[in-house]
Amino acid sequence: ITEHVRKHTHPTHILVITDSDIDNLAPELGQLEEALNYGRAGGTIFLDYEPSQKTELLTKIGYDVISIRTPKDLTQLTLRKAGELYG
């Protein structure tokens, strides 16, 4: 992610959609934070489960962590987020 946003001269919002536990992202927190800094437009993570104590670390470094319940939720949240960013 960091390398991708580093290439852009314009602000880039980072959006991560996952249907699995992201506990394994903890070792990558530094890179995820660096990507936010290079992107300069924030970041959002859509989770297919409830946020936990471990996801609080992602919130702390600047990601907006949002829980989804159904595919319809994902569609609505994605459209809403796109409207917030580009609308």
Side-chain angles (χ1 to χ4, degrees), residues 60-79:
K60 188 175 181 177
I61 64 171
Y63 282 89
D64 187 14
V65 180
I66 301 170
S67 181
I68 60 171
R69 298 279 181 233
T70 68
K72 185 177 179 180
D73 290 344
L74 178 59
T75 301
Q76 291 174 344
L77 289 168
T78 301
L79 291 172

Side-chain angles (χ1 to χ4, degrees), residues 23-68:
D23 292 345
N24 61 347
L25 289 180
E28 309 302 329
L29 284 176
Q31 289 182 355
L32 290 167
E33 186 172 20
E34 184 178 24
L36 281 179
N37 293 333
Y38 278 112
R40 303 177 319 277
T44 303
I45 299 176
F46 291 148
L47 302 174
D48 191 16
Y49 62 94
E50 284 297 317
S52 67
Q53 204 170 28
K54 293 178 182 177
T55 58
E56 288 177 19
L57 295 172
L58 295 166
T59 301
K60 188 175 181 177
I61 64 171
Y63 282 89
D64 187 14
V65 180
I66 301 170
S67 181
I68 60 171

